C-alpha cells in the first residue's frame, strides 16, 4: 500500500502547486498505482488459493495431455519450450485442473528464468514425461540463472520468494497439490548448470476418500517433508 499512498500524495501536491509537468506526474503515478493494485490482487488470489484449495475432482488422467496443453501455452515465445514423452507413461488418478496449475506455475517460472538469462534468444525449457515403477515422472528443466543451494531448500516454503513483488505462495501451492496427490516434488541442479524440478506421481494418485472428505476450509501450512 505504501507505493499507492506515495503516488497519490505526489499527485495531490503537484495538483495543488499547479506544476507544469503535472500531466507527466499524473501518468507515472497512476501507472504505479495500477501496477500495485494488480500486485495486491495477485497476493489476495494466491493467498486464497493457498489457504483454501478447492475440493479435488480426481479422474483417470493422461498426464501427457496436461503436459501438451501446458507446453502449448508457451509456443512461439522468446523461450523454446519443448515436450518429450518417453515410453508409455500410465494414466494417473489426479485432478486435471490442479495438475495443470502445478505445471503452468513451474513452466512459467522456468521460462522467466531462462528469458532473464538469455533474453529473446537461447532460452530453453524441457518438459520430460516418463513412466516410473509406481506411476509417472515429470521433469521441468531450464537453462536459466539457476537456484542457489540455500534457496533450493526453501523455495517450497510459504511466503519465501526471491522475486521482486513475489508473494512466495505459488510454489507452496504447487508443493501442497503434489503432496496431497500422494506425489513428491524436488529441485536440484542438472547438467550444464541447468535447474531441474522433478515431480513423481503414482497411478493411485489422490487418496480415494479425498474427493468426499475434502472441504473448502482452511488447510494447514505446507508439509515440507519430501522423500
Amino acid at each position: 500500500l505504501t507505493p499507492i499512498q506515495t503516488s497519490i500524495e505526489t499527485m495531490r501536491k503537484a495538483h495543488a502547486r499547479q506544476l507544469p509537468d503535472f500531466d507527466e506526474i499524473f501518468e507515472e503515478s497512476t501507472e504505479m498505482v495500477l501496477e500495485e493494485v494488480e500486485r495486491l490482487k495477485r497476493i489476495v488470489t494466491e493467498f486464497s488459493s493457498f489457504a483454501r484449495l478447492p475440493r479435488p475432482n480426481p479422474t483417470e488422467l493422461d498426464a501427457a495431455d496436461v503436459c501438451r496443453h501446458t507446453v502449448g501455452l508457451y509456443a512461439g515465445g522468446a523461450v523454446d519450450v519443448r515436450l518429450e514423452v518417453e515410453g508409455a507413461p500410465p494414466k494417473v488418478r489426479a485432478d486435471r485442473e490442479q495438475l495443470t496449475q502445478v505445471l503452468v506455475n513451474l513452466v512459467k517460472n522456468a521460462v522467466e528464468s531462462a528469458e532473464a538469462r538469455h533474453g529473446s534468444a537461447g532460452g530453453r525449457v524441457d518438459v520430460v514425461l516418463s513412466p516410473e515403477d509406481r506411476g509417472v515422472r515429470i521433469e521441468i528443466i531450464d537453462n536459466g540463472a539457476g537456484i542457489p543451494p540455500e534457496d533450493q531448500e526453501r523455495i517450497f516454503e510459504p511466503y519465501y520468494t526471491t522475486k521482486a513483488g513475489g508473494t512466495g505462495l505459488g510454489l507452496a501451492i504447487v508443493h501442497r497439490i503434489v503432496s496431497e496427490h500422494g506425489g513428491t516434488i524436488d529441485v536440484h541442479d542438472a547438467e550444464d548448470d541447468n535447474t531441474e524440478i522433478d515431480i513423481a506421481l503414482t497411478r493411485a494418485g489422490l487418496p480415494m476418500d479425498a474427493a468426499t472428505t475434502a472441504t473448502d476450509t482452511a488447510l494447514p501450512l505446507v508439509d515440507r517433508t519430501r522423500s
Side-chain angles (χ1 to χ4, degrees):
L1 292 174
T2 300
I4 294 176
Q5 179 180 353
T6 301
S7 296
I8 293 175
E9 289 173 348
T10 299
M11 284 190 292
R12 286 174 61 88
K13 291 177 182 178
H15 182 266
R17 297 173 183 173
Q18 297 184 341
L19 297 179
D21 58 346
F22 175 77
D23 288 346
E24 181 179 348
I25 294 173
F26 178 84
E27 184 67 24
E28 293 178 354
S29 297
T30 53
E31 182 177 352
M32 173 66 73
V33 169
L34 291 174
E35 287 178 358
E36 290 304 311
V37 168
E38 285 301 314
R39 190 168 73 87
L40 286 172
K41 287 167 63 178
R42 290 197 302 271
I43 292 173
V44 171
T45 299
E46 291 193 6
F47 180 81
S48 297
S49 297
F50 177 71
R52 193 182 295 269
L53 284 174
R55 182 180 290 109
N57 181 27
T59 59
E60 289 299 312
L61 185 64
D62 185 352
D65 286 344
V66 180
C67 290
R68 290 190 189 97
H69 170 74
T70 303
V71 170
L73 296 176
Y74 296 91
V79 175
D80 184 13
V81 183
R82 302 183 184 183
L83 172 63
E84 179 181 351
V85 179
E86 299 178 350
K91 291 185 177 181
V92 295
R93 188 170 183 273
D95 182 299
R96 176 178 289 274
E97 293 301 321
Q98 292 188 4
L99 183 56
T100 299
Q101 181 179 359
V102 165
L103 293 181
V104 167
N105 188 300
L106 294 176
V107 172
K108 176 178 178 290
N109 286 349
V111 166
E112 290 175 351
S113 178
E115 189 170 9
R117 181 180 182 185
H118 298 279
S120 59
R124 177 165 174 173
V125 175
D126 292 306
V127 179
V128 182
L129 174 65
S130 58
E132 292 266 275
D133 290 341
R134 299 174 57 206
V136 300
R137 180 185 185 192
I138 305 174
E139 303 161 79
I140 296 93
I141 308 165
D142 70 73
N143 64 348
I147 303 174
E150 61 271 20
D151 289 335
Q152 292 181 14
E153 293 299 318
R154 300 189 60 191
I155 63 172
F156 297 114
E157 293 179 2
Y159 310 113
Y160 181 79
T161 181
T162 58
K163 294 181 179 180
T167 64
L169 290 175
L171 290 179
I173 294 171
V174 164
H175 186 280
R176 170 173 287 173
I177 291 174
V178 172
S179 296
E180 291 185 350
H181 276 69
T184 61
I185 182 170
D186 205 354
V187 58
H188 55 84
D189 296 328
E191 296 180 0
D192 301 323
D193 296 326
N194 292 346
T195 299
E196 179 175 333
I197 293 184
D198 291 341
I199 300 172
L201 297 173
T202 64
R203 286 189 292 270
L206 204 67
M208 292 299 293
D209 61 348
T212 57
T213 61
T215 59
D216 296 333
T217 57
L219 297 173
L221 290 181
V222 63
D223 179 3
R224 293 192 68 254
T225 302
R226 290 177 279 163
S227 60

